[in-house]
Amino acid sequence: MFIVKYIKNVFSAIKSLLVGMRRTGYYFTHHKEIITQQYPDNRETLVLPERFKGEVVMPHNENNEHRCTGCTACELACPNGTIKVITKFDITPEGKKKKAIDKLVYHLELCTLCNLCVIACPSDAIVMAQTFEHSVFDRNKLTKVLNNPDSKIMDGVE
Amino acid sequence: MWSLSGITNWVDQWLNATFNPTLTLIIEMVIVGVCVISLFAVLGLVLVIMERKVSAWMQIRLGPNRVGPKGMLQSFADTLKLLVKEGFTPNGADKFLFNLAPYLAIIVAMLLMAPIAFAKDFHMWNLNIGVLYVSAVSSISVISILMAGWASNNKYSLMGAMRSGAQIVSYELSAGLAILTIVVLTGSLNLNDIIQSQANGWWIFKGHIPAIIAFVIFIIAVTAETNRAPFDLAEAESELTAGFHTEYSGMKFALFFLAEYVNVFIVCAIGATLFLGGWMPFHIGNWQSFNHVMDFIPSSIWFMGKTFFLIFLIMWFRWTFPRLRIDQLLNLEWKYLLPISMFNILLVTAVAILGWHF
Amino acid sequence: MTGSTFIFYMLAALTLVSGFLSVTSRQIFRAAIYLLFSLLGIAGLYFWMQYEFIAAVQIVVYVGGITVLIIFSIFLTQQAGELLAVQKAGRKLFAALASFCAFGITMLQVYQHSFINAADNNVMEASVTNIGTQMLSTTQGGYALPFELVSILLLAALIGCIVIAMRLKPVNQ
């Protein structure tokens, strides 16, 4: 019946409004729920979530070794040409030639932090770092070489 | 006991003893004018910081916390910025009306202050038609919005003004009917008589269901009349940039902003007067000692407390509910609020005639 | 001149000047706003005479109702922002003559009418209660019949509005 539906409408509307008001009222009285980070003040204690993606880095171990084989999978996976892999040929002790990276050039200014290169990497050589304070006065500083000078590939990584 | 009416009487007597009647009247008018303007300034500062803090806490934020202790001086900084900003009149605008509109808005807000009783025996004008005066004068405020919208020569302003006109004209009806509920129960339009009739209990408690329905409808309707969210279609940042005050800047914008907050204060003061007993203390039946403690709190504190409670309620609405669409807005008024309040008027008339209220 | 007279002349000047500007303005929106100020001046006169109820009703009906309606129709009209055409001199003369004649008739009536002196007669106090009682009284001098007639007129207007605005369902052939 029309009138019953009308009255039901009114009461369900009031109920749903009260549900919303209860939520905001809860937040109003419970200040411990506040999620604001007062960033420059809490720089020392700032904890970023694990999934935060700041920039691409290549971890090296204590012997200055990395895991990159120079397969260019990351370069191919990158949607906007952020990564450029420059390869060279090393001579192994057995006298064979072996492909290795000379430089892994990373253009932070082009990167959208989409994580596709990290997914594409077959040997887990690159990861996403949590740094985020990237602003510099010179754009050239954003073009980075990810592998350290004179670094080598780790043993056992093919 | 310390009271505001004592101070006003003392000032009046002293002035009468010192000057002749005409000069006394003029001096008193000047004093009242200065008081109203300073009240406006204080209200602007307090309500802006209150709104920002309330909105922040409801959205799990911290809100302003840099200027002054805990950010409490933020509104001073805002005011200073608005004061030194250039008041810009766009090309192609109707300059006279463009500059007149914010002043009209603030003058209407000032006129509305006149019949409000701020404390026991403390009001500017004991008007015998107080309630009618408030609803009549508040209908002028829509003109200032329409004027600003037209004179800005801007499509957003014009659309905002149109929406706000439709909204205010329709919600005035249910606000008026909600006010009429209390007038039926009291039998007087005078705000002081209405407060006196609540000496033994506020209308929201002793008016049964009709008073509660009227209170809910009143709060909804005045939220719409003051153009606040969820009824802020006139401004609607996401659709109309800023609606009727898109083109305003500097002090002229500040006047609109101030008028909005003062209007919120006024409608909440009227709501507190009609439904929550104005400056009447909270009494429970025959608990003599409890009632005595309540009487000890000054009446101005009671009035301000109730008013700010209602202001908080309206802010709570603003930061909880999403904005309505224009058709939903008009549906709400014409299909729900108006029929319900008309039915409510019949109900309250029956209650008043049969004497069912306490 | 006392303060009260001074206020009267200020209100009268506001009413007359804005009324004149409303007629002569070539921008239609400004004309509406001047009309608004003229009506507000009249409401001010009622307040000055301490007929607060009439003043409030004047504001509700004319300012809150009629002027808003006029402004809305201006908003919805095409080319409302253009200047109005200048009228011919003959028309202006005729309009001035017509308004002068109306003014003359009113003044004649005012001077010939014998007003009751409010000070020595028991004039009924214009409180809201009295107005309400009088409005619904059926005794001598009561206004129950005109009141009901006006309400029937308003009801007819309401029904007419609904009929005009109602969207009829398309008739299936």
Side-chain angles (χ1 to χ4, degrees), chain C residues 1-2 4 17 31-32 36 40 45-47 53 57-58 60 74 80 87 92-93 97 107 117 136 140 144-145 156 172:
Chain C
M1 194 166 72
T2 61
S4 177
V17 169
L36 165 92
L40 277 180
L45 280 181
Y46 287 130
F47 272 119
F53 181 76
V57 169
Q58 163 90 7
V60 168
I74 291 171
Q87 297 296 327
K92 275 185 183 169
L93 194 70
L97 211 66
M107 286 313 281
N117 195 341
L136 291 176
Q140 180 75 28
L145 186 64
N172 290 330

Side-chain angles (χ1 to χ4, degrees), chain B residues 156-235:
Chain B
Y156 297 125
S157 302
L158 190 65
M159 282 169 75
M162 288 284 289
R163 286 181 180 189
S164 132
Q167 178 181 328
I168 293 180
V169 168
S170 19
Y171 277 80
E172 233 163 45
L173 292 171
S174 42
L177 286 174
I179 291 173
L180 217 54
T181 314
I182 298 304
V183 174
V184 166
L185 286 170
T186 320
S188 170
L189 290 167
N190 189 332
L191 284 173
N192 285 305
D193 289 354
I194 291 174
I195 294 171
Q196 288 298 341
S197 72
Q198 303 179 64
N200 57 346
W202 305 345
W203 278 121
I204 194 152
F205 298 131
K206 57 177 192 168
H208 289 307
I209 297 164
I212 293 167
I213 296 176
F215 180 68
V216 172
I217 288 173
F218 179 81
I219 288 292
I220 295 173
V222 297
T223 312
E225 266 200 79
T226 47
N227 281 326
R228 285 177 65 82
F231 305 102
D232 62 341
L233 289 125
E235 285 154 41

